[in-house]
Amino acid sequence: MERELNLKRIVLYVQKTKESLLPINLIKGFIGDYKSILSGYSGTILNIAIPLIINWITKRKRGD
């Protein structure tokens, strides 16, 4: 039983790693680091603009 649990954990870790290596998640992580650094007016603009740009890019790739 312990072996089965360990195997399921490994499968879960592999799935999470695959998801974190998707291009959109890499971009979100990269942008998230810089959003936390920036503050004030420019940070507010980025906080609004970045999600809109990401959504636009993802919808454009799907052809919507």
Side-chain angles (χ1 to χ4, degrees):
M1 178 170 260
E2 187 175 330
R3 183 176 176 179
E4 289 178 29
L5 286 174
N6 288 333
L7 182 60
K8 288 183 181 188
R9 285 185 188 134
I10 290 171
V11 170
L12 180 63
Y13 291 145
V14 169
Q15 288 174 345
K16 286 183 178 184
T17 302
K18 282 182 182 179
E19 289 176 7
S20 68
L21 293 176
L22 290 172
I24 192 70
N25 291 334
L26 290 173
I27 292 170
K28 285 181 181 180
F30 179 73
I31 292 170
D33 292 342
Y34 282 97
K35 280 198 306 189
S36 65
I37 293 171
L38 296 174
S39 61
Y41 185 69
S42 61
T44 303
I45 292 172
L46 283 177
N47 285 333
I48 294 170
I50 297 300
L52 293 174
I53 292 169
I54 291 173
N55 286 335
W56 178 77
I57 290 171
T58 57
K59 287 182 181 180
R60 195 183 98 193
K61 284 188 173 183
R62 285 188 248 147
D64 292 343

